[in-house]
Amino acid sequence: MSSHRTDATLNYPLGDHLPPTGQATRVAEGVYWLRMGLPFALDHINLWLLRDRQPDPQHPGREREGWTVVDCGIDNPATRSAWQQVEASTLQGLPVLRVIVTHMHPDHMGLAHWLCERWQAPLWMGLAEYQAAKIACTSQSGLGSASALRFFAQHGWNREEDLATVQRHMNHYAEMVPAVPASHVRLMHGLTLRIGERTWQCLSGLGHSPEHMALYCEADRLFISGDMLLPSISSNISVYHQEPESDPLAWFLQSLAQMQAALPDDCLVLPSHGRPFQGVHTRVDQLQAHHAERLAELLAACTGQARSAHDVLPVLFKRPLNQQQMTFAMGEAVAHLHALWHAGQVERRLDAADGVYRFRAPRH
Ligand SMILES: [Zn+2]
């Protein structure tokens, strides 16, 4: 995620409040906010607890009281311990009845296996996300795999010592997501879920992950946005080696436009990072403007000279990048170049001399 701070015009109804570790903050009747730590530059994730009741499989016709969890945190001792504190502080002795995961990224998916096992609760998520998580946790297909290194090299990041470091450090999906539940209940765009007293609608979004699922409760104007709409950072939009020709930035901007059309401006957005906010329309406008600016800068950088994704990193990222940030930055740079390429604004050529893709806009 790139950090650009343009959140001055959004409304934060809870002010600067952040829930302490292991404690929940009530954001609406039966809706609670949890915040778990992450060992990255992005140092936290928000999770949501929704008061629920579900049919009791042992007693047809009766219902069990409990909770639905939305997103899980990564699997490490600190997050497990925070969850145990939440059980004591917040769950009121009631069970977790189901675990919903917005998408397969480790901070959302990591402890799903543990929570589902601990509570004998089913996992609910989109099929493409579920399958992607299964593959990522059992194979060496991550950002340090041979195929990923080839992809980086094709986009101009080909210094051997850099790639050797990436190879050593970037296969850690399985460290944060050691297992994925054996089955899931499939979420689909447009599906409605009854959670406690409320009805929520699934809104799928593209560009950040394969089939991200956000949840919207129209009656109470609550929107659990996952990573699709964040108040103070822009979601990571990357091309990955598994789908090297893709145009995720165009898909993401289209998904944002759909959200803007579907949601009222005053709904309370519950994002995965940052604070709950109001101002969907403003935020979507800001993000559209942010990406339009980046694309204009890139187009200028590629006008009259052919540039690789690696060449244009300083155009997109004005700060020095560490190794982990480099891998994400490369994915983002390719995503922005591909948006120009798929829109016909630049042409792409594979240079026979060094095997690197370069993008160039004709001079007008
Ligand atoms: Zn994510």
Side-chain angles (χ1 to χ4, degrees), residues 36-40 45 72-76 79-80 106-111 176-177:
M36 303 287 186
L38 293 177
F40 314 119
I45 177 170
C72 304
I74 63 168
D75 191 346
N76 68 9
T79 315
R80 287 186 183 217
D107 43 340
H108 302 259
M109 183 77 200
L111 275 175
M176 297 180 279
V177 189

Side-chain angles (χ1 to χ4, degrees), residues 9-277:
T9 53
L10 303 176
N11 180 34
Y12 296 91
L14 285 91
D16 290 330
H17 172 82
L18 301 174
T21 303
Q23 307 282 320
T25 295
R26 181 186 175 281
V27 292
E29 178 67 35
V31 179
Y32 294 84
W33 171 21
L34 304 174
R35 201 167 183 270
M36 303 287 186
L38 293 177
F40 314 119
L42 181 63
D43 63 1
H44 72 280
I45 177 170
N46 300 322
L47 316 175
W48 311 98
L49 271 178
L50 310 176
R51 204 44 183 83
D52 199 4
R53 54 192 151 74
Q54 287 290 302
D56 184 342
Q58 293 177 345
H59 302 281
R62 280 201 237 158
E63 292 192 313
R64 292 168 77 205
E65 297 289 328
W67 299 92
T68 279
V69 166
V70 181
D71 287 335
C72 304
I74 63 168
D75 191 346
N76 68 9
T79 315
R80 287 186 183 217
S81 141
W83 266 114
Q84 281 158 343
Q85 291 173 52
V86 168
E87 276 177 43
S89 69
T90 310
L91 298 194
Q92 303 159 17
L94 296 173
V96 171
L97 300 174
R98 98 181 116 182
V99 175
I100 293 176
V101 174
T102 56
H103 65 296
M104 53 82 71
H105 291 162
D107 43 340
H108 302 259
M109 183 77 200
L111 275 175
H113 73 101
W114 182 74
L115 289 166
C116 289
E117 181 70 32
R118 196 172 172 79
W119 295 103
Q120 292 301 299
L123 168 70
W124 293 49
M125 71 189 295
L127 176 66
E129 297 288 343
Y130 176 72
Q131 291 178 333
K134 274 266 179 209
I135 292 167
C137 102
T138 53
S139 71
Q140 295 289 301
S141 63
L143 291 175
S145 65
S147 155
L149 299 184
R150 215 163 31 242
F151 172 76
F152 290 136
Q154 272 194 328
H155 284 284
W157 191 22
N158 48 18
R159 269 181 29 149
E160 266 175 39
E161 55 268 44
D162 287 353
L163 294 183
T165 317
V166 173
Q167 187 169 28
R168 278 199 300 281
H169 294 295
M170 288 309 291
N171 257 331
H172 52 204
Y173 188 85
E175 286 166 26
M176 297 180 279
V177 189
V180 168
S183 65
H184 77 299
V185 179
R186 183 170 175 176
L187 295 179
M188 281 185 277
H189 179 75
L191 195 74
T192 52
L193 303 180
R194 203 208 72 186
I195 304 176
E197 303 300 321
R198 291 192 176 85
T199 299
W200 297 79
Q201 193 181 11
C202 295
L203 297 181
S204 76
L206 301 180
H208 176 69
S209 64
E211 192 191 3
H212 185 290
M213 213 58 74
L215 296 171
Y216 176 47
C217 171
E218 188 177 14
D220 293 320
R221 299 183 168 226
L222 296 169
F223 181 54
I224 297 177
S225 68
D227 276 353
M228 283 297 292
L229 192 62
L230 302 171
S232 55
I233 55 176
S234 57
S235 307
N236 179 295
I237 305 301
S238 284
V239 173
Y240 294 99
H241 62 99
Q242 298 96 330
E243 204 181 352
E245 306 285 303
S246 65
D247 191 6
L249 182 56
W251 303 339
F252 179 71
L253 296 176
Q254 198 177 3
S255 294
L256 283 183
Q258 285 164 359
M259 269 177 208
Q260 196 174 33
L263 301 171
D265 195 37
D266 65 351
C267 75
L268 181 62
V269 182
L270 307 177
S272 292
H273 309 284
R275 293 173 287 146
F277 70 96

